[in-house]
Amino acid sequence: MTEFITFRRMTLDDVDAVWELEKEAFPTPWSREAFVNEMLANRFAYYIVGENQASEVIAFCGMWLVTDECHITNVAVTTCARGNGFGEALMREAIRVTRENGGRVMTLEVRVSNDTAQNLYRKLGFQEGGIRKNYYTDTHEDALVMWVEFT
């Protein structure tokens, strides 16, 4: 890695930085208001931000922790920081948080065309669980459902 990254729980003060990263990473990004709602109204939401040495948000992972299950809502690493292992470090932190909060299962959806992300998830123990047809509204691309169970 060319730089270090530290992780912490997202706060309302991080919404603007996370929203900018969301817009950079996804063709149909969530709205700023959606992130505000996650912080203020969704009692299941737990978001992790990754910061570089300059305290800039360069990665984030959103998840919903419901009883013993975790659903990953979104994962993003800024373009200039990709390829440095930050995505894997972020996912390992999400797994740690999930397990620390009593989670036994983690699930997510990933574009069927996103081989890089799928390979990372497989490396972390995720398995294929099915297909959600026409899941992504921008291209109507299918999503691969992946999950991992912790022992």
Side-chain angles (χ1 to χ4, degrees):
M1 278 192 231
T2 58
E3 61 181 313
F4 296 100
I5 188 169
T6 57
F7 297 106
R8 62 177 174 77
R9 189 167 186 174
M10 181 178 161
T11 68
L12 196 56
D13 291 337
D14 298 311
V15 166
D16 288 333
V18 166
W19 186 51
E20 289 302 319
L21 180 49
E22 172 85 0
K23 292 188 298 184
E24 174 189 325
F26 300 109
T28 51
W30 285 16
S31 68
R32 182 184 184 283
E33 292 74 24
F35 287 105
V36 170
N37 186 63
E38 289 290 278
M39 293 292 97
L40 297 178
N42 184 348
R43 67 184 179 101
F44 301 113
Y46 192 114
Y47 280 68
I48 299 166
V49 294
E51 295 180 318
N52 63 13
Q53 291 173 308
S55 298
E56 300 165 324
V57 174
I58 62 169
F60 79 93
C61 176
M63 49 192 176
W64 295 338
L65 300 169
V66 183
T67 62
D68 63 349
E69 296 181 12
C70 172
H71 180 82
I72 300 291
T73 59
N74 36 19
V75 177
V77 176
T78 189
T79 305
C80 63
R82 291 181 190 157
N84 291 311
F86 296 140
E88 180 175 344
L90 179 63
M91 286 302 298
R92 288 188 185 280
E93 178 67 5
I95 290 168
R96 185 195 68 74
V97 167
T98 298
R99 294 183 82 170
E100 187 176 88
N101 284 279
R104 293 184 315 103
V105 177
M106 181 179 270
T107 185
L108 54 81
E109 292 88 12
V110 59
R111 288 179 186 266
V112 294
S113 64
N114 193 342
D115 293 328
T116 302
Q118 289 176 39
N119 289 335
L120 168 61
Y121 301 142
R122 284 186 190 98
K123 178 180 180 180
L124 296 172
F126 283 78
Q127 300 174 13
E128 296 180 16
I131 298 286
R132 294 196 198 283
K133 299 298 270 181
N134 302 311
Y135 184 77
Y136 294 97
T137 58
D138 59 331
T139 62
H140 303 287
E141 183 175 359
D142 296 345
L144 175 63
V145 178
M146 300 185 80
W147 62 274
V148 63
E149 187 170 349
F150 308 117
T151 55

PDB file of all heavy atoms in Angstrom, residues 4 14 18 23 26 41-42 47-48 56-58 66 77-78 86 90 111 113 116 121 133 142 148-149 151:
ATOM      1  N   PHE A   4      -1.499   4.780   4.245  1.00  0.00           N
ATOM      2  CA  PHE A   4      -2.236   4.076   5.287  1.00  0.00           C
ATOM      3  C   PHE A   4      -3.690   4.519   5.281  1.00  0.00           C
ATOM      4  O   PHE A   4      -4.016   5.605   4.831  1.00  0.00           O
ATOM      5  CB  PHE A   4      -1.613   4.358   6.657  1.00  0.00           C
ATOM      6  CG  PHE A   4      -0.223   3.834   6.784  1.00  0.00           C
ATOM      7  CD1 PHE A   4       0.866   4.678   6.630  1.00  0.00           C
ATOM      8  CD2 PHE A   4       0.004   2.489   7.037  1.00  0.00           C
ATOM      9  CE1 PHE A   4       2.152   4.193   6.735  1.00  0.00           C
ATOM     10  CE2 PHE A   4       1.285   1.994   7.139  1.00  0.00           C
ATOM     11  CZ  PHE A   4       2.363   2.852   6.990  1.00  0.00           C
ATOM     12  N   ASP A  14     -19.768  13.298   8.088  1.00  0.00           N
ATOM     13  CA  ASP A  14     -19.133  12.644   6.940  1.00  0.00           C
ATOM     14  C   ASP A  14     -20.036  12.563   5.711  1.00  0.00           C
ATOM     15  O   ASP A  14     -19.587  12.129   4.649  1.00  0.00           O
ATOM     16  CB  ASP A  14     -18.715  11.215   7.311  1.00  0.00           C
ATOM     17  CG  ASP A  14     -17.688  11.176   8.423  1.00  0.00           C
ATOM     18  OD1 ASP A  14     -16.683  11.914   8.321  1.00  0.00           O
ATOM     19  OD2 ASP A  14     -17.889  10.403   9.380  1.00  0.00           O
ATOM     20  N   VAL A  18     -18.909  11.327   1.907  1.00  0.00           N
ATOM     21  CA  VAL A  18     -19.395  10.024   1.449  1.00  0.00           C
ATOM     22  C   VAL A  18     -20.258  10.187   0.205  1.00  0.00           C
ATOM     23  O   VAL A  18     -20.147   9.411  -0.751  1.00  0.00           O
ATOM     24  CB  VAL A  18     -20.150   9.294   2.589  1.00  0.00           C
ATOM     25  CG1 VAL A  18     -20.944   8.109   2.067  1.00  0.00           C
ATOM     26  CG2 VAL A  18     -19.167   8.856   3.668  1.00  0.00           C
ATOM     27  N   LYS A  23     -21.100   9.473  -5.621  1.00  0.00           N
ATOM     28  CA  LYS A  23     -21.324   9.986  -6.973  1.00  0.00           C
ATOM     29  C   LYS A  23     -20.179   9.607  -7.907  1.00  0.00           C
ATOM     30  O   LYS A  23     -20.407   9.345  -9.092  1.00  0.00           O
ATOM     31  CB  LYS A  23     -21.512  11.504  -6.952  1.00  0.00           C
ATOM     32  CG  LYS A  23     -22.806  11.942  -6.283  1.00  0.00           C
ATOM     33  CD  LYS A  23     -23.056  13.431  -6.438  1.00  0.00           C
ATOM     34  CE  LYS A  23     -21.989  14.269  -5.784  1.00  0.00           C
ATOM     35  NZ  LYS A  23     -22.264  15.722  -5.839  1.00  0.00           N
ATOM     36  N   PHE A  26     -20.556   5.368  -8.470  1.00  0.00           N
ATOM     37  CA  PHE A  26     -21.734   4.675  -8.982  1.00  0.00           C
ATOM     38  C   PHE A  26     -22.470   5.495 -10.042  1.00  0.00           C
ATOM     39  O   PHE A  26     -22.678   6.692  -9.858  1.00  0.00           O
ATOM     40  CB  PHE A  26     -22.692   4.341  -7.837  1.00  0.00           C
ATOM     41  CG  PHE A  26     -22.079   3.454  -6.798  1.00  0.00           C
ATOM     42  CD1 PHE A  26     -21.762   3.964  -5.541  1.00  0.00           C
ATOM     43  CD2 PHE A  26     -21.791   2.129  -7.080  1.00  0.00           C
ATOM     44  CE1 PHE A  26     -21.180   3.150  -4.579  1.00  0.00           C
ATOM     45  CE2 PHE A  26     -21.207   1.311  -6.118  1.00  0.00           C
ATOM     46  CZ  PHE A  26     -20.895   1.826  -4.866  1.00  0.00           C
ATOM     47  N   ALA A  41     -32.207   8.139  10.911  1.00  0.00           N
ATOM     48  CA  ALA A  41     -33.470   7.431  11.093  1.00  0.00           C
ATOM     49  C   ALA A  41     -33.398   5.912  10.995  1.00  0.00           C
ATOM     50  O   ALA A  41     -34.324   5.240  11.441  1.00  0.00           O
ATOM     51  CB  ALA A  41     -34.485   7.949  10.067  1.00  0.00           C
ATOM     52  N   ASN A  42     -32.355   5.377  10.409  1.00  0.00           N
ATOM     53  CA  ASN A  42     -32.286   3.926  10.241  1.00  0.00           C
ATOM     54  C   ASN A  42     -31.496   3.309  11.390  1.00  0.00           C
ATOM     55  O   ASN A  42     -30.267   3.350  11.406  1.00  0.00           O
ATOM     56  CB  ASN A  42     -31.648   3.566   8.897  1.00  0.00           C
ATOM     57  CG  ASN A  42     -31.654   2.076   8.633  1.00  0.00           C
ATOM     58  OD1 ASN A  42     -31.935   1.266   9.515  1.00  0.00           O
ATOM     59  ND2 ASN A  42     -31.318   1.710   7.411  1.00  0.00           N
ATOM     60  N   TYR A  47     -22.360   2.498   9.139  1.00  0.00           N
ATOM     61  CA  TYR A  47     -21.476   2.856   8.028  1.00  0.00           C
ATOM     62  C   TYR A  47     -20.053   3.037   8.542  1.00  0.00           C
ATOM     63  O   TYR A  47     -19.835   3.612   9.605  1.00  0.00           O
ATOM     64  CB  TYR A  47     -21.945   4.149   7.357  1.00  0.00           C
ATOM     65  CG  TYR A  47     -23.089   3.933   6.403  1.00  0.00           C
ATOM     66  CD1 TYR A  47     -24.348   3.553   6.869  1.00  0.00           C
ATOM     67  CD2 TYR A  47     -22.914   4.075   5.042  1.00  0.00           C
ATOM     68  CE1 TYR A  47     -25.387   3.330   5.998  1.00  0.00           C
ATOM     69  CE2 TYR A  47     -23.966   3.854   4.155  1.00  0.00           C
ATOM     70  CZ  TYR A  47     -25.191   3.478   4.643  1.00  0.00           C
ATOM     71  OH  TYR A  47     -26.227   3.251   3.770  1.00  0.00           O
ATOM     72  N   ILE A  48     -19.121   2.545   7.761  1.00  0.00           N
ATOM     73  CA  ILE A  48     -17.701   2.655   8.072  1.00  0.00           C
ATOM     74  C   ILE A  48     -17.078   3.579   7.032  1.00  0.00           C
ATOM     75  O   ILE A  48     -17.362   3.448   5.835  1.00  0.00           O
ATOM     76  CB  ILE A  48     -17.021   1.279   7.989  1.00  0.00           C
ATOM     77  CG1 ILE A  48     -17.629   0.310   8.989  1.00  0.00           C
ATOM     78  CG2 ILE A  48     -15.511   1.399   8.196  1.00  0.00           C
ATOM     79  CD1 ILE A  48     -17.246  -1.144   8.741  1.00  0.00           C
ATOM     80  N   GLU A  56      -8.833  12.421   4.857  1.00  0.00           N
ATOM     81  CA  GLU A  56      -9.812  12.501   3.782  1.00  0.00           C
ATOM     82  C   GLU A  56     -10.502  11.145   3.662  1.00  0.00           C
ATOM     83  O   GLU A  56      -9.839  10.104   3.714  1.00  0.00           O
ATOM     84  CB  GLU A  56      -9.127  12.824   2.448  1.00  0.00           C
ATOM     85  CG  GLU A  56      -8.384  14.138   2.454  1.00  0.00           C
ATOM     86  CD  GLU A  56      -7.433  14.273   1.274  1.00  0.00           C
ATOM     87  OE1 GLU A  56      -6.814  13.274   0.849  1.00  0.00           O
ATOM     88  OE2 GLU A  56      -7.315  15.408   0.787  1.00  0.00           O
ATOM     89  N   VAL A  57     -11.819  11.171   3.483  1.00  0.00           N
ATOM     90  CA  VAL A  57     -12.569   9.931   3.290  1.00  0.00           C
ATOM     91  C   VAL A  57     -12.254   9.404   1.896  1.00  0.00           C
ATOM     92  O   VAL A  57     -12.530  10.074   0.904  1.00  0.00           O
ATOM     93  CB  VAL A  57     -14.081  10.153   3.473  1.00  0.00           C
ATOM     94  CG1 VAL A  57     -14.859   8.890   3.120  1.00  0.00           C
ATOM     95  CG2 VAL A  57     -14.388  10.577   4.906  1.00  0.00           C
ATOM     96  N   ILE A  58     -11.651   8.211   1.847  1.00  0.00           N
ATOM     97  CA  ILE A  58     -11.299   7.617   0.559  1.00  0.00           C
ATOM     98  C   ILE A  58     -12.040   6.301   0.318  1.00  0.00           C
ATOM     99  O   ILE A  58     -11.902   5.699  -0.745  1.00  0.00           O
ATOM    100  CB  ILE A  58      -9.783   7.415   0.412  1.00  0.00           C
ATOM    101  CG1 ILE A  58      -9.245   6.454   1.469  1.00  0.00           C
ATOM    102  CG2 ILE A  58      -9.054   8.753   0.441  1.00  0.00           C
ATOM    103  CD1 ILE A  58      -7.813   6.001   1.224  1.00  0.00           C
ATOM    104  N   VAL A  66     -29.121  -6.388  11.192  1.00  0.00           N
ATOM    105  CA  VAL A  66     -30.447  -6.762  11.668  1.00  0.00           C
ATOM    106  C   VAL A  66     -30.334  -8.128  12.323  1.00  0.00           C
ATOM    107  O   VAL A  66     -30.012  -9.116  11.653  1.00  0.00           O
ATOM    108  CB  VAL A  66     -31.477  -6.802  10.516  1.00  0.00           C
ATOM    109  CG1 VAL A  66     -32.859  -7.128  11.045  1.00  0.00           C
ATOM    110  CG2 VAL A  66     -31.482  -5.478   9.747  1.00  0.00           C
ATOM    111  N   VAL A  77     -14.523   2.779  -3.017  1.00  0.00           N
ATOM    112  CA  VAL A  77     -13.168   3.299  -2.799  1.00  0.00           C
ATOM    113  C   VAL A  77     -12.937   4.331  -3.890  1.00  0.00           C
ATOM    114  O   VAL A  77     -13.244   4.080  -5.065  1.00  0.00           O
ATOM    115  CB  VAL A  77     -12.110   2.181  -2.875  1.00  0.00           C
ATOM    116  CG1 VAL A  77     -10.705   2.753  -2.737  1.00  0.00           C
ATOM    117  CG2 VAL A  77     -12.361   1.114  -1.817  1.00  0.00           C
ATOM    118  N   THR A  78     -12.416   5.484  -3.515  1.00  0.00           N
ATOM    119  CA  THR A  78     -12.184   6.533  -4.497  1.00  0.00           C
ATOM    120  C   THR A  78     -11.256   6.025  -5.606  1.00  0.00           C
ATOM    121  O   THR A  78     -10.369   5.198  -5.371  1.00  0.00           O
ATOM    122  CB  THR A  78     -11.633   7.808  -3.839  1.00  0.00           C
ATOM    123  OG1 THR A  78     -11.613   8.860  -4.788  1.00  0.00           O
ATOM    124  CG2 THR A  78     -10.241   7.612  -3.282  1.00  0.00           C
ATOM    125  N   PHE A  86      -7.284  -1.312  -0.377  1.00  0.00           N
ATOM    126  CA  PHE A  86      -8.212  -0.635   0.535  1.00  0.00           C
ATOM    127  C   PHE A  86      -9.581  -1.295   0.542  1.00  0.00           C
ATOM    128  O   PHE A  86     -10.251  -1.352   1.569  1.00  0.00           O
ATOM    129  CB  PHE A  86      -8.344   0.844   0.192  1.00  0.00           C
ATOM    130  CG  PHE A  86      -7.069   1.625   0.370  1.00  0.00           C
ATOM    131  CD1 PHE A  86      -6.715   2.599  -0.539  1.00  0.00           C
ATOM    132  CD2 PHE A  86      -6.215   1.378   1.433  1.00  0.00           C
ATOM    133  CE1 PHE A  86      -5.541   3.329  -0.383  1.00  0.00           C
ATOM    134  CE2 PHE A  86      -5.047   2.096   1.600  1.00  0.00           C
ATOM    135  CZ  PHE A  86      -4.698   3.073   0.687  1.00  0.00           C
ATOM    136  N   LEU A  90     -11.272  -2.642   3.844  1.00  0.00           N
ATOM    137  CA  LEU A  90     -12.597  -2.143   4.210  1.00  0.00           C
ATOM    138  C   LEU A  90     -13.558  -3.293   4.467  1.00  0.00           C
ATOM    139  O   LEU A  90     -14.288  -3.303   5.464  1.00  0.00           O
ATOM    140  CB  LEU A  90     -13.123  -1.237   3.098  1.00  0.00           C
ATOM    141  CG  LEU A  90     -14.505  -0.635   3.279  1.00  0.00           C
ATOM    142  CD1 LEU A  90     -14.559   0.286   4.483  1.00  0.00           C
ATOM    143  CD2 LEU A  90     -14.889   0.143   2.011  1.00  0.00           C
ATOM    144  N   ARG A 111     -22.752  -6.414  -9.262  1.00  0.00           N
ATOM    145  CA  ARG A 111     -23.035  -6.529 -10.694  1.00  0.00           C
ATOM    146  C   ARG A 111     -22.404  -7.812 -11.242  1.00  0.00           C
ATOM    147  O   ARG A 111     -21.271  -8.144 -10.900  1.00  0.00           O
ATOM    148  CB  ARG A 111     -22.489  -5.331 -11.466  1.00  0.00           C
ATOM    149  CG  ARG A 111     -23.272  -4.051 -11.223  1.00  0.00           C
ATOM    150  CD  ARG A 111     -22.657  -2.882 -12.017  1.00  0.00           C
ATOM    151  NE  ARG A 111     -23.318  -1.643 -11.662  1.00  0.00           N
ATOM    152  CZ  ARG A 111     -24.355  -1.128 -12.332  1.00  0.00           C
ATOM    153  NH1 ARG A 111     -24.819  -1.733 -13.391  1.00  0.00           N
ATOM    154  NH2 ARG A 111     -24.915  -0.006 -11.929  1.00  0.00           N
ATOM    155  N   SER A 113     -21.174  -8.221 -13.973  1.00  0.00           N
ATOM    156  CA  SER A 113     -19.997  -7.848 -14.767  1.00  0.00           C
ATOM    157  C   SER A 113     -18.801  -7.421 -13.917  1.00  0.00           C
ATOM    158  O   SER A 113     -17.707  -7.228 -14.441  1.00  0.00           O
ATOM    159  CB  SER A 113     -20.352  -6.720 -15.734  1.00  0.00           C
ATOM    160  OG  SER A 113     -20.706  -5.551 -15.012  1.00  0.00           O
ATOM    161  N   THR A 116     -13.867  -7.986 -10.582  1.00  0.00           N
ATOM    162  CA  THR A 116     -12.903  -7.585  -9.548  1.00  0.00           C
ATOM    163  C   THR A 116     -13.525  -7.700  -8.165  1.00  0.00           C
ATOM    164  O   THR A 116     -12.936  -8.291  -7.258  1.00  0.00           O
ATOM    165  CB  THR A 116     -12.407  -6.146  -9.804  1.00  0.00           C
ATOM    166  OG1 THR A 116     -11.810  -6.100 -11.105  1.00  0.00           O
ATOM    167  CG2 THR A 116     -11.395  -5.728  -8.763  1.00  0.00           C
ATOM    168  N   TYR A 121     -14.728 -10.728  -2.971  1.00  0.00           N
ATOM    169  CA  TYR A 121     -15.700 -11.338  -2.069  1.00  0.00           C
ATOM    170  C   TYR A 121     -15.447 -12.841  -1.926  1.00  0.00           C
ATOM    171  O   TYR A 121     -15.523 -13.381  -0.823  1.00  0.00           O
ATOM    172  CB  TYR A 121     -17.123 -11.050  -2.536  1.00  0.00           C
ATOM    173  CG  TYR A 121     -17.444  -9.562  -2.628  1.00  0.00           C
ATOM    174  CD1 TYR A 121     -18.231  -9.065  -3.653  1.00  0.00           C
ATOM    175  CD2 TYR A 121     -16.941  -8.654  -1.695  1.00  0.00           C
ATOM    176  CE1 TYR A 121     -18.517  -7.702  -3.749  1.00  0.00           C
ATOM    177  CE2 TYR A 121     -17.215  -7.298  -1.790  1.00  0.00           C
ATOM    178  CZ  TYR A 121     -18.007  -6.832  -2.819  1.00  0.00           C
ATOM    179  OH  TYR A 121     -18.280  -5.487  -2.904  1.00  0.00           O
ATOM    180  N   LYS A 133     -32.594 -10.525 -11.171  1.00  0.00           N
ATOM    181  CA  LYS A 133     -32.721 -10.084 -12.558  1.00  0.00           C
ATOM    182  C   LYS A 133     -33.006  -8.580 -12.633  1.00  0.00           C
ATOM    183  O   LYS A 133     -33.776  -8.055 -11.829  1.00  0.00           O
ATOM    184  CB  LYS A 133     -33.847 -10.852 -13.267  1.00  0.00           C
ATOM    185  CG  LYS A 133     -33.636 -12.353 -13.333  1.00  0.00           C
ATOM    186  CD  LYS A 133     -32.409 -12.734 -14.105  1.00  0.00           C
ATOM    187  CE  LYS A 133     -32.711 -12.934 -15.553  1.00  0.00           C
ATOM    188  NZ  LYS A 133     -31.530 -13.332 -16.336  1.00  0.00           N
ATOM    189  N   ASP A 142     -28.141  -7.638 -14.246  1.00  0.00           N
ATOM    190  CA  ASP A 142     -28.446  -8.539 -13.136  1.00  0.00           C
ATOM    191  C   ASP A 142     -27.440  -8.345 -12.013  1.00  0.00           C
ATOM    192  O   ASP A 142     -26.300  -7.916 -12.233  1.00  0.00           O
ATOM    193  CB  ASP A 142     -28.378 -10.001 -13.589  1.00  0.00           C
ATOM    194  CG  ASP A 142     -29.420 -10.350 -14.634  1.00  0.00           C
ATOM    195  OD1 ASP A 142     -30.382  -9.564 -14.817  1.00  0.00           O
ATOM    196  OD2 ASP A 142     -29.259 -11.403 -15.271  1.00  0.00           O
ATOM    197  N   VAL A 148     -21.844 -14.940   3.013  1.00  0.00           N
ATOM    198  CA  VAL A 148     -20.863 -15.687   3.785  1.00  0.00           C
ATOM    199  C   VAL A 148     -21.449 -15.916   5.171  1.00  0.00           C
ATOM    200  O   VAL A 148     -22.136 -15.059   5.724  1.00  0.00           O
ATOM    201  CB  VAL A 148     -19.496 -14.953   3.866  1.00  0.00           C
ATOM    202  CG1 VAL A 148     -19.610 -13.618   4.586  1.00  0.00           C
ATOM    203  CG2 VAL A 148     -18.433 -15.835   4.519  1.00  0.00           C
ATOM    204  N   GLU A 149     -21.209 -17.099   5.687  1.00  0.00           N
ATOM    205  CA  GLU A 149     -21.646 -17.431   7.056  1.00  0.00           C
ATOM    206  C   GLU A 149     -20.409 -17.590   7.907  1.00  0.00           C
ATOM    207  O   GLU A 149     -19.448 -18.254   7.514  1.00  0.00           O
ATOM    208  CB  GLU A 149     -22.467 -18.717   7.041  1.00  0.00           C
ATOM    209  CG  GLU A 149     -23.104 -19.027   8.390  1.00  0.00           C
ATOM    210  CD  GLU A 149     -24.102 -20.159   8.322  1.00  0.00           C
ATOM    211  OE1 GLU A 149     -24.468 -20.580   7.187  1.00  0.00           O
ATOM    212  OE2 GLU A 149     -24.527 -20.618   9.385  1.00  0.00           O
ATOM    213  N   THR A 151     -18.400 -18.848  11.248  1.00  0.00           N
ATOM    214  CA  THR A 151     -18.471 -19.969  12.191  1.00  0.00           C
ATOM    215  C   THR A 151     -17.863 -19.597  13.515  1.00  0.00           C
ATOM    216  O   THR A 151     -17.204 -18.626  13.666  1.00  0.00           O
ATOM    217  CB  THR A 151     -17.742 -21.186  11.626  1.00  0.00           C
ATOM    218  OG1 THR A 151     -16.416 -20.819  11.296  1.00  0.00           O
ATOM    219  CG2 THR A 151     -18.463 -21.728  10.420  1.00  0.00           C
TER     220      THR A 151
END
